[in-house]
C-alpha cells in the first residue's frame, strides 16, 4: 500500500496539470494531505462512494498517461544515472573515473 | 518557418502518444515526411482545407501539452547542462573542474 501511495504521489506530481480541477482536488486531499475518503466526502457534501469512484478513475487516468509518456520511469532511470555519477565524482582519483563518468553522461544525454 | 518546423518536430516527438491516430498520421506526413498539404489531401481523398485545419488544430494541441508539461523546455535545459558537463570533463586538469561539475550534476538532479 505504501508503495502504491508513493507511486501515485509521483504520478500525480508529473501529470496533475492534465487533470480536471475536481480530479486534482480529490487526489490532492487523499494522497498529499492524507485525508480519508469519509473526510473528503463530508467536506464536499457528496457520498463516500462518489469520492472513491472519482479517485479510482483518476488513478487509472494517471496510469494511462504514464503508459504513454513514461515520465516517472524516465525520472527513476535518470536519478539512478545521476546518483552513480555523483558517487564517481567522490572517488579519490578522479582521472581514473573519467571514462566511466563520460559513459554515464552520454547515457543520460541519449535517454530522451 | 524552419524554427517552427523544428519546434513542431520536437513537440510531436514528445507528445505524439497523446494524439489520435488521424492527428498522428497527418502530422507525421507533413512534418516528418515533408509532404505538402495537397499531397496529403490526395492520399486521403479529403480537401486540402480539411488537412490544413486538422494540422493547425493538432499544432495547438501540442502547444497546450507543452504549456502544461514543459517536456521540450526541460529537455533543452537538460541538454544545455549536459553539454556543459561534457565540456568540463574534457579539461586538462579535471580536479580543478570537479566542484563545477558537481554543481551542474546537482542542478540536473533538481530539475524534475
Amino acid at each position: 500500500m505504501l508503495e502504491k501511495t508513493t507511486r501515485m504521489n509521483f504520478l500525480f506530481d508529473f501529470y496533475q496539470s492534465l487533470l480536471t480541477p475536481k480530479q486534482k482536488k480529490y487526489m490532492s486531499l487523499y494522497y498529499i494531505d492524507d485525508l480519508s475518503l469519509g473526510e473528503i466526502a463530508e467536506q464536499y457534501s457528496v457520498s463516500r462512494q462518489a469520492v472513491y469512484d472519482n479517485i479510482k478513475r483518476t488513478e487509472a487516468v494517471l496510469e494511462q498517461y504514464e503508459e504513454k509518456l513514461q515520465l516517472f520511469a524516465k525520472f527513476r532511470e535518470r536519478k539512478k544515472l545521476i546518483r552513480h555519477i555523483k558517487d564517481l565524482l567522490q572517488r579519490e582519483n578522479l582521472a581514473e573515473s573519467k571514462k566511466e563518468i563520460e559513459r554515464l553522461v552520454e547515457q543520460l544525454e541519449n535517454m530522451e
Side-chain angles (χ1 to χ4, degrees), chain A:
Chain A
M1 185 57 195
L2 182 65
E3 205 188 315
K4 193 199 158 188
T5 302
T6 307
R7 180 176 174 84
M8 276 303 146
N9 263 287
F10 271 108
L11 294 187
F12 181 63
D13 205 37
F14 282 118
Y15 302 113
Q16 59 174 298
S17 62
L18 301 177
L19 300 177
T20 68
K22 191 170 131 194
Q23 288 175 325
K24 222 184 288 189
K25 198 67 214 148
Y26 285 179
M27 284 298 280
S28 171
L29 290 171
Y30 189 67
Y31 279 107
I32 314 290
D33 302 338
D34 209 25
L35 259 61
S36 71
L37 294 173
E39 287 168 325
I40 301 171
E42 203 176 331
Q43 191 169 319
Y44 284 85
S45 308
V46 294
S47 70
R48 190 183 168 289
Q49 186 65 37
V51 176
Y52 176 81
D53 290 346
N54 186 287
I55 287 175
K56 282 295 134 193
R57 265 198 308 274
T58 308
E59 286 174 1
V61 167
L62 292 177
E63 288 292 358
Q64 278 159 20
Y65 280 129
E66 174 62 9
E67 208 173 297
K68 288 177 176 170
L69 293 172
Q70 299 273 301
L71 297 188
F72 182 40
K74 285 178 187 169
F75 163 82
R76 285 198 290 186
E77 215 179 308
R78 260 198 299 272
K79 282 283 172 218
K80 219 164 69 182
L81 286 170
I82 288 174
R83 211 153 37 225
H84 196 166
I85 292 171
K86 286 173 94 172
D87 283 349
L88 288 170
L89 284 167
Q90 292 321 307
R91 293 266 181 90
E92 198 72 32
N93 192 333
L94 198 53
E96 267 178 21
S97 314
K98 193 189 149 189
K99 277 268 164 298
E100 180 70 358
I101 296 174
E102 280 177 338
R103 196 183 60 80
L104 293 168
V105 172
E106 201 72 40
Q107 246 179 283
L108 210 52
E109 189 172 24
N110 295 328
M111 252 204 63
E112 320 281 341

